[in-house]
Amino acid sequence: MNQSDKLKFLYPEENYGIEIDFDKKETKISETFIGVFFEDINYGADGGLYAELIQNRSFEFGSFKESFSKFDDYLYGWEVFEKDNKQFKIERKNEQPIHPNNPNYLEITLGEMSHGSSLSNTGFGGIALRKNENYNFSIFLRNKDYNGKLHILLQGQNGTRYAKVTIESKNVDDTWKKYETVLNSEEDDSFAKLSLIFEGEGTLNLDMISLFPQSTWANRKNGLRRDLVQMLKDLNPKFMRFPGGCIVEGKYLSNAYNWKDTIGPVEYRKTNWNRWEEWQNAPYNQTYGLGFYEYFQLSEDIGASPLPIINCGMSCQFQGKEVADDVEPFIQDALDLIEYANGDETTIWGSKRIEAGHKEPFNLVYLGIGNEQWIDYEVEGQDKYFETYEIFRKRIKEKYPDVHLITTSGPFPSGKEFEVAWDIITDKTKEYIDRGKVYAEIIDEHYYMSPDWFLDNNSRYDSYPRYEDGKSSKIFAGEYACHTNGGPSKQGENNLYAALCEAAFMTGLERNSDIVAMTAYAPLFAKTTNIQWQPDLIWFDNNKAYGSVSYYVQKMFGNNMGTYTLKTDVVAKTKLPKYKRLPIYSIASYDANTEEMIIKLVNVDEKAHTVSIELKNVQGTWQKAKGVILTSENKMDMNTLEEPDKVVAKDFILGNVSSEFVYDMPAQSFVVLRLKVM
């Protein structure tokens, strides 16, 4: 009796059968299988994860008009009220700034009739205040000849006062100095503002005007939003890729991401133009308040290995297409980064990390060389990436042989660029194996594709080449999301069907986790009012956040990973003229830590199916299984600010479990079952 007939005999009313053989261990599951990828897109950093409430705090907006930005308003985000415009003067200046990396500041000059003039900031679409919460305010001041008071207020849009402190001019030095105080809000207000009201005469310099909630993640100053970090931690990610993405490349090399600009005191850090500004009608900068120190710290906080990406001497190939004449500075940046993360107090860069407050190393193991570069023989200079990668590889491995390097197969999952990349990677892999070495530990692949693509590619990695043990390059599914409108140019919505297609695809990734070492959905964050790219994993506004349906798929995988996979077969018990593929996807694994079998089941169909499950060569004291289910009445359902819990994962208990049992699987659902085994 074949398998299909056997299942039909056991359970004649069922549509599908799943057979899991406990004796047939398939692949050891990568310990870094589920991770997260952060890029400052959709206001993911400033105005998002980074808890700073003031936009354009250092008046660097408008600094990039000549080369990048469409905007030149250095007072963007600020409102100026002039009591007497003849006696009130406001200018941006750059003589003797706080630091050369932070070159601009404001100079305010007031006369007798301009008392009461003010400067207000509404943050990122309003400052969200909570009643009785404390907020850390700070400002850098330099007194030229100002005599009077500077009032600091938290206010409603109509001027209602929620908090106030005053700085006396007699306490302000004639050199730059930081002044700090705490403001306690008397009311809730989602659209408040910070106001600086001048009551005096003379000239005063201002810079780095900052407001943070005291209630940040781990209550850190210069901290991160507590709710957003908690959502990351709840995913149980095992690595965090940062800071991009296209951000790393820059439109041109002059605005490519340089990690050295992002460490040290925040007032010493550069501000950079954000290339995603071109996808919106407003200025968009990177303050670098969320810099590499904070990224490493965040990785540690959420239990993830840090995976930084560094520029390889190439700007975005979709835009600027620049290639550095000399890659030596970029190689040195990579070497210095490893030293910063892992070095001790005797090293130059390790001592900078220790000075920042982290004595122990950050244990950097992974490093990405470039983002999604590709070979283009038709454009001058665009055919050098893999040559450049080998130069990086040689220099890094000479000093840090244990660091795992990540190269790329380009921005697409198929096509000319992908095929050229993999031809080179395949040839180089074989060449390096012959020399007893590894060409690249990990190859990054990206796919923003349609639902059909995700379902059709469940078996994508079944036939990927496996070489000599320890010499094969692993796959990093570094950026992916199901785009319901067809692809990256059309994008789509975070609905249930898209999430189920991703879950179905991920069962294939887990089945092939001997070669698929890492996976990360992208993008990670989106502010509901500032979207350049969607779908996204986590959505938020100034007050709250919610997970997309895809977020719960990632969470269910991240919190239910086994030690190794088990042979899992899905079979149809009847002919399926309606389907070109089975609607049921499954993968089973064994968790040696909890001694549980984990069964993942995905039904992408709009109708329920009864599934017969046979567990071979296993013993257990079952009757019940712990379960988690993600489903909804309509496959187009999705979560929103108004209905953040419309489609969420829910725990349940499944009864009547044995070595042969039936499960009535709801329409359009993703289910995880955990059974104790002996």
Side-chain angles (χ1 to χ4, degrees):
M1 182 182 295
N2 63 37
Q3 183 183 28
S4 180
D5 289 339
K6 180 180 178 182
L7 289 168
K8 188 174 181 179
F9 174 77
L10 289 170
Y11 304 106
E13 303 301 323
E14 288 73 58
N15 305 127
Y16 298 94
I18 297 176
E19 184 177 279
I20 300 166
D21 194 333
F22 191 74
D23 276 354
K24 293 184 178 178
K25 301 177 182 179
E26 297 267 280
T27 60
K28 185 180 185 300
I29 297 174
S30 169
E31 294 180 359
T32 56
F33 186 75
I34 294 290
V36 293
F37 162 49
F38 181 89
E39 180 169 14
D40 187 2
I41 184 174
N42 303 321
Y43 283 50
D46 295 303
L49 181 64
Y50 185 50
E52 172 66 81
L53 297 173
I54 302 302
Q55 185 169 199
N56 191 19
R57 66 185 176 186
S58 60
F59 308 102
E60 300 300 326
F61 275 57
S63 301
F64 308 103
K65 174 66 174 175
E66 293 299 320
S67 50
F68 311 119
S69 181
K70 299 174 286 187
F71 305 95
D72 59 1
D73 182 7
Y74 69 84
L75 284 173
Y76 183 80
W78 294 92
E79 298 173 352
V80 179
F81 172 71
E82 302 173 357
K83 199 68 175 286
D84 185 325
N85 59 18
K86 293 181 180 179
Q87 293 195 353
F88 180 85
K89 185 179 180 181
I90 183 168
E91 293 182 274
R92 182 168 72 171
K93 292 199 168 186
N94 55 22
E95 296 87 9
Q96 296 181 314
I98 297 172
H99 191 274
N101 284 347
N102 181 15
N104 297 305
Y105 59 89
L106 275 194
E107 182 166 283
I108 307 287
T109 301
L110 302 101
E112 181 181 0
M113 302 301 293
S114 56
H115 287 210
S117 296
S118 65
L119 192 63
S120 299
N121 191 287
T122 55
F124 298 87
I127 295 175
L129 299 178
R130 291 186 173 89
K131 186 176 181 178
N132 296 326
E133 289 285 320
N134 287 331
Y135 296 84
N136 291 330
F137 171 82
S138 64
I139 185 171
F140 277 80
L141 295 172
R142 181 171 61 187
N143 194 351
K144 300 189 80 170
D145 60 5
Y146 183 74
N147 182 28
K149 300 176 180 180
L150 173 61
H151 303 292
I152 315 299
L153 287 82
L154 295 179
Q155 295 180 299
Q157 290 297 317
N158 61 0
T160 303
R161 188 177 78 187
Y162 303 136
K164 178 183 177 181
V165 296
T166 299
I167 299 174
E168 301 274 356
S169 61
K170 63 183 180 182
N171 298 320
V172 180
D173 296 346
D174 59 1
T175 57
W176 285 113
K177 183 179 176 182
K178 185 177 182 180
Y179 298 83
E180 300 178 89
T181 189
V182 176
L183 297 166
N184 182 275
S185 178
E186 296 177 356
E187 297 293 341
D188 292 324
D189 191 336
S190 297
F191 299 97
K193 62 183 178 180
L194 172 79
S195 295
L196 282 61
I197 300 177
F198 303 90
E199 185 185 350
E201 301 173 36
T203 300
L204 186 66
N205 296 156
L206 307 84
D207 201 1
M208 293 298 293
I209 303 170
S210 174
L211 185 71
F212 273 87
Q214 283 190 352
S215 180
T216 60
W217 176 259
N219 297 317
R220 294 188 181 115
K221 290 187 175 182
N222 195 55
L224 307 180
R225 265 183 64 165
R226 184 187 296 268
D227 57 342
L228 296 182
V229 177
Q230 187 63 58
M231 291 190 73
L232 294 184
K233 188 175 179 66
D234 289 346
L235 290 169
N236 196 26
K238 299 307 179 184
F239 68 88
M240 187 175 93
R241 177 184 177 218
F242 60 87
C246 296
I247 287 288
V248 172
E249 301 165 336
K251 182 174 183 178
Y252 302 104
L253 287 174
S254 57
N255 88 294
Y257 197 104
N258 186 332
W259 71 269
K260 292 176 180 176
D261 293 336
T262 77
I263 62 171
V266 291
E267 63 269 20
Y268 293 177
R269 302 182 188 184
K270 284 186 177 181
T271 294
N272 196 3
W273 177 73
N274 191 315
R275 70 181 297 281
W276 293 107
E277 179 191 277
E278 296 187 330
W279 280 259
Q280 68 171 30
N281 190 33
Y284 191 6
N285 284 0
Q286 305 170 75
T287 66
Y288 288 159
L290 174 54
F292 260 50
Y293 180 81
E294 290 77 22
Y295 284 127
F296 279 119
Q297 195 174 49
L298 173 60
S299 299
E300 186 175 74
D301 286 347
I302 64 176
S305 294
L307 196 169
I309 307 296
I310 50 97
N311 190 288
C312 63
M314 300 179 71
S315 74
C316 178
Q317 289 180 260
F318 289 110
Q319 293 185 315
K321 303 180 187 293
E322 287 186 342
V323 179
D325 294 329
D326 181 11
V327 297
E328 179 59 31
F330 297 90
I331 294 172
Q332 192 59 51
D333 283 345
L335 294 170
D336 292 344
L337 176 59
I338 300 170
E339 182 177 287
Y340 177 77
N342 296 348
D344 62 23
E345 67 276 3
T346 66
T347 64
I348 294 174
W349 291 98
S351 64
K352 292 182 183 294
R353 182 198 73 245
I354 294 170
E355 182 182 350
H358 201 282
K359 183 177 181 180
E360 298 302 315
F362 281 121
N363 299 316
L364 186 153
V365 176
Y366 305 99
L367 183 65
I369 310 301
N371 175 37
E372 50 185 18
Q373 272 63 48
W374 69 87
I375 300 298
D376 188 342
Y377 294 112
E378 297 177 2
V379 179
E380 184 178 358
Q382 299 297 298
D383 60 348
K384 304 297 184 184
Y385 170 72
F386 287 104
E387 294 177 26
T388 301
Y389 168 78
E390 284 199 86
I391 299 171
F392 272 82
R393 184 200 175 282
K394 180 177 184 296
R395 292 283 300 283
I396 292 171
K397 289 293 187 179
E398 285 174 350
K399 191 170 183 179
Y400 301 107
D402 294 331
V403 170
H404 292 192
L405 299 181
I406 300 171
T407 187
T408 176
S409 62
F412 310 116
S414 59
K416 180 179 68 174
E417 295 86 356
F418 181 83
E419 291 169 3
V420 169
W422 266 107
D423 284 346
I424 295 171
I425 291 168
T426 300
D427 290 344
K428 287 294 181 181
T429 297
K430 293 177 180 177
E431 175 189 325
Y432 273 72
I433 287 175
D434 290 343
R435 291 155 50 187
K437 297 182 178 181
V438 177
Y439 171 63
E441 282 83 1
I442 302 170
I443 313 297
D444 188 10
E445 293 191 356
H446 296 174
Y447 14 81
Y448 299 102
M449 303 300 288
S450 69
D452 279 348
W453 186 93
F454 276 91
L455 297 179
D456 289 339
N457 279 268
N458 172 271
S459 59
R460 177 182 178 88
Y461 296 106
D462 291 355
S463 58
Y464 262 51
R466 273 79 165 168
Y467 298 105
E468 178 185 340
D469 185 42
K471 301 295 190 297
S472 288
S473 296
K474 305 294 185 180
I475 299 298
F476 175 22
E479 298 180 28
Y480 71 90
C482 180
H483 284 200
T484 54
N485 291 344
S489 62
K490 298 179 180 179
Q491 303 189 15
E493 296 182 328
N494 279 118
N495 60 44
L496 174 60
Y497 186 62
L500 293 177
C501 291
E502 291 156 3
F505 177 70
M506 291 174 72
T507 64
L509 299 182
E510 184 175 337
R511 184 175 62 250
N512 287 282
S513 55
D514 61 322
I515 193 168
V516 181
M518 299 171 139
T519 68
Y521 185 99
L524 182 59
F525 287 119
K527 191 166 192 174
T528 56
T529 53
N530 301 90
I531 305 165
Q532 296 91 47
W533 186 285
Q534 62 180 349
D536 306 285
L537 200 65
I538 298 170
W539 292 76
F540 63 91
D541 65 5
N542 288 337
N543 285 292
K544 53 186 177 295
Y546 68 91
S548 66
V549 188
S550 295
Y551 173 84
Y552 292 98
V553 168
Q554 296 293 316
K555 186 176 180 181
M556 289 167 69
F557 267 88
N559 288 281
N560 292 284
M561 297 306 301
T563 308
Y564 53 82
T565 62
L566 302 171
K567 182 172 175 53
T568 308
D569 293 314
V570 181
V571 295
K573 297 175 61 180
T574 57
K575 293 182 179 180
L576 300 170
K578 179 182 175 182
Y579 302 106
K580 64 179 181 180
R581 63 177 86 85
L582 296 183
I584 303 295
Y585 298 79
S586 183
I587 184 67
S589 62
Y590 175 68
D591 186 342
N593 294 317
T594 63
E595 298 182 325
E596 289 177 304
M597 181 186 292
I598 303 170
I599 305 172
K600 297 184 179 79
L601 301 156
V602 184
N603 179 10
V604 298
D605 201 353
E606 291 183 80
K607 59 182 271 187
H609 289 289
T610 302
V611 179
S612 56
I613 300 174
E614 183 179 8
L615 310 178
K616 298 178 64 177
N617 300 310
V618 63
Q619 292 182 331
T621 56
W622 315 305
Q623 293 261 335
K624 299 178 180 179
K626 295 181 294 184
V628 185
I629 185 168
L630 182 68
T631 189
S632 190
E633 293 181 1
N634 191 308
K635 70 177 184 178
M636 305 305 290
D637 285 346
M638 54 193 291
N639 297 328
T640 62
L641 280 174
E642 294 72 30
E643 293 185 280
D645 300 323
K646 188 175 183 65
V647 190
V648 299
K650 297 178 180 179
D651 295 335
F652 71 100
I653 299 295
L654 179 66
N656 299 317
V657 175
S658 64
S659 60
E660 297 173 350
F661 67 99
V662 173
Y663 177 51
D664 293 320
M665 192 165 186
Q668 58 241 356
S669 64
F670 172 36
V671 174
V672 178
L673 300 175
R674 296 186 75 109
L675 301 83
K676 199 78 173 177
V677 297
M678 299 171 61

